[in-house]
Each structure stands twice: as structure tokens, then as C-alpha cells.
Amino acid sequence: MVIRSRCGTDMTAAFPEIAAAAAALPADVCLDGDLVAFGRLQGRLSRTPAGADRLAAQWPAHFVAFDLLRLGADRTGAPCR
């Protein structure tokens, strides 16, 4: 499981709480969405893993999914229902 920015930067280590929740999803799932950290998003990006864990406990981030891109197969061409 990898959390990537719009530019493709790996941000997984900065958001351990999101990575832990995503680990419960099937391996073939790909979601598109936004990370929400209520004004503290930038401060999470330059932290060590230990610092990210501390900040995750203090100010947890949330993931808002708005597109299911893959679930076993590419879903981008599927109709929206």
C-alpha cells in the first residue's frame, strides 16, 4: 500500500494512521481522494517516522475517497451508479 501525492511523491511514512487503515483493504484496490489534516497537512510531510507517529496520535489525518479506480479490474470506464 502506498499513499501518493498528485505529483507521485510517496507520502506513506507521513501518514501512518492512513496506511494502517488502508492495509485492511483488498490488495487490488486503488482509491483516489484527499487527505484532510485540518491545517496541519504540510507539517506532517517533513517528519521522521517517529515524528509522524506522534503527530498522527495528536492530530490524526482523514482520507476522503471520491473515486474507486480499481477493484480487481480497472473501474475507470465503468458507469457511475
Side-chain angles (χ1 to χ4, degrees):
M1 195 290 308
V2 177
I3 300 170
R4 293 203 185 278
S5 71
R6 289 184 181 130
C7 298
T9 304
D10 184 347
M11 301 188 324
T12 309
F15 298 96
E17 72 278 35
I18 304 298
L25 296 171
D28 61 351
V29 168
C30 181
L31 298 171
D32 187 13
D34 285 329
L35 283 170
V36 180
F38 300 105
R40 293 177 167 79
L41 188 62
Q42 291 300 319
R44 298 281 297 271
L45 297 178
S46 61
R47 302 291 177 190
T48 64
D53 285 338
R54 189 179 72 257
L55 288 175
Q58 208 171 5
W59 297 299
H62 304 275
F63 179 74
V64 180
F66 49 79
D67 281 325
L68 173 63
L69 303 177
R70 175 173 283 287
L71 179 58
D74 185 346
R75 305 291 302 159
T76 56
C80 187
R81 301 184 238 184

